[in-house]
Amino acid sequence: MITLKSDREIELMREAGRITAYAHLKVKEAIRPGISTYELDKIAYEAIVSQGAIPSFLNYNGYPASICASINEVVVHGIPNKKTILKNGDIISIDIGAIYRGYHGDAARTHYVGEVKEEIKLLVERTKQSFYEGLKFAKPGNRLSDISHAIGNYAASFGYGVVRDFTGHGIGRNLHEDPAIPNYGEEGHGPILKKGMTLAIEPIINLGTYRVKVLSDGWTTTTLDKKPSAHYENTIVITDEGYEILTKYEGEEIDV
Ligand code: MF3
Ligand code: CO
């Protein structure tokens, strides 16, 4: 069941989103060769609790950290740890969620570590752009799969692998609510978008094959061909005019 949020609920989600984005900003500032993903996790945890919120992911289905930190061929759900150290040329996808007064924000960004190969930078930029291609269809009256189609079509036009095993999702009182939002598919299907729907849209795009595998820790997911993967996500709300992005920090240049 898709729940439509009231203005009061959206206000709380705006705050959850602001805190999620604030934690992203703090992590981004710390990213450099030599830092461990454990340290990045601590920075995000402190940022979230300092704002009166709780990390959404910590203990979610047993997940042991506040963020996912997924380097290069790790697609999603990389578990922060002291031994995983960033090095020059890496890309790292950071996924963060925060609960504020019972409502969640969820967002992901992929960052460069030092100097990154042009081919990989393009993957990161186009993954972000695929989110915005989907967003063009986020308005009342459109169908959910119009967003999915726009994301997948754009990413596939570069020959990238569009990951199918993970989707975006509704969000609100729960981190994952209906509907699932695939990053591919035919347009014109699925629920009609309505004002008050809150959605986490999150393209996950691979340089090579779309196929992925989950490692023995039950979380870490890598590409099958070990080529890099990028992730970009925001929580949005459908408005009368179209949408509002909730996971941004005051002053954040979100679409550059
Ligand atoms: N942003 C991810 C998602 O939407 C985060 C879930 S990670 C988990 O599914 F650890 F919390 F599961
Ligand atoms: Co999500």
Side-chain angles (χ1 to χ4, degrees):
M1 191 193 56
I2 302 175
T3 58
L4 302 181
K5 275 72 175 182
S6 67
D7 288 349
R8 182 196 140 270
E9 291 180 292
I10 291 163
E11 192 49 46
L12 294 174
M13 289 190 67
R14 201 174 275 122
E15 186 60 8
R18 186 195 65 77
I19 294 166
T20 303
Y22 173 72
H24 265 292
L25 188 74
K26 291 290 152 193
V27 170
K28 181 183 178 179
E29 285 170 1
I31 285 179
R32 55 170 170 79
I35 196 165
S36 71
T37 55
Y38 171 83
E39 288 170 279
L40 298 178
D41 186 67
K42 264 202 320 198
I43 289 164
Y45 177 85
E46 292 301 333
I48 291 167
V49 301
S50 77
Q51 305 288 306
I54 301 165
S56 299
F57 302 170
L58 191 58
N59 303 319
Y60 180 85
N61 291 338
Y63 188 75
S66 298
I67 67 172
C68 303
S70 307
I71 299 174
N72 299 337
E73 75 277 8
V74 180
V75 176
V76 288
H77 302 165
I79 302 172
N81 73 90
K82 287 181 179 168
K83 287 190 195 141
T84 304
I85 313 283
L86 303 195
K87 59 182 196 312
N88 187 50
D90 285 345
I91 56 168
I92 180 167
S93 301
I94 301 288
D95 196 344
I96 307 182
I99 318 170
Y100 181 75
R101 295 202 209 162
Y103 287 86
H104 291 262
D106 185 8
R109 302 282 185 266
T110 302
H111 300 292
Y112 307 141
V113 183
E115 286 301 311
V116 171
K117 274 195 212 149
E118 189 59 26
E119 180 189 39
I120 301 175
K121 277 186 172 173
L122 281 173
L123 171 72
V124 172
E125 280 169 24
R126 289 163 174 169
T127 298
K128 180 174 183 176
Q129 187 57 35
S130 74
F131 168 88
Y132 288 99
E133 294 299 318
L135 208 54
K136 292 176 184 170
F137 294 87
K139 57 172 165 240
N142 280 352
R143 296 285 194 131
L144 185 70
S145 87
D146 299 344
I147 297 176
S148 304
H149 175 76
I151 292 170
N153 217 33
Y154 179 80
S157 75
F158 301 103
Y160 297 148
V162 178
V163 173
R164 307 173 87 91
D165 290 9
F166 300 93
T167 66
H169 47 92
I171 180 169
R173 280 204 164 274
N174 299 108
L175 177 60
H176 295 134
E177 299 184 354
D178 286 341
I181 311 173
N183 293 307
Y184 62 91
E186 293 293 312
E187 57 207 314
H189 295 277
I192 294 172
L193 300 176
K194 293 197 173 72
K195 176 185 151 88
M197 285 184 180
T198 43
L199 308 171
I201 301 173
E202 50 180 318
I204 303 164
I205 309 295
N206 298 346
L207 187 60
T209 179
Y210 73 91
R211 296 186 65 202
V212 303
K213 65 172 179 196
V214 180
L215 303 189
S216 57
D217 62 17
W219 286 103
T220 311
T221 303
T222 71
T223 54
L224 215 54
D225 59 11
K226 295 284 188 282
K227 290 185 180 172
S229 179
H231 187 189
Y232 187 86
E233 174 182 27
N234 282 304
T235 300
I236 70 157
V237 57
I238 302 294
T239 62
D240 280 326
E241 301 77 41
Y243 62 85
E244 177 187 338
I245 295 175
L246 298 176
T247 33
K248 61 183 177 199
Y249 182 64
E250 222 179 284
E252 184 187 10
E253 288 281 347
I254 200 138
D255 49 6
V256 291

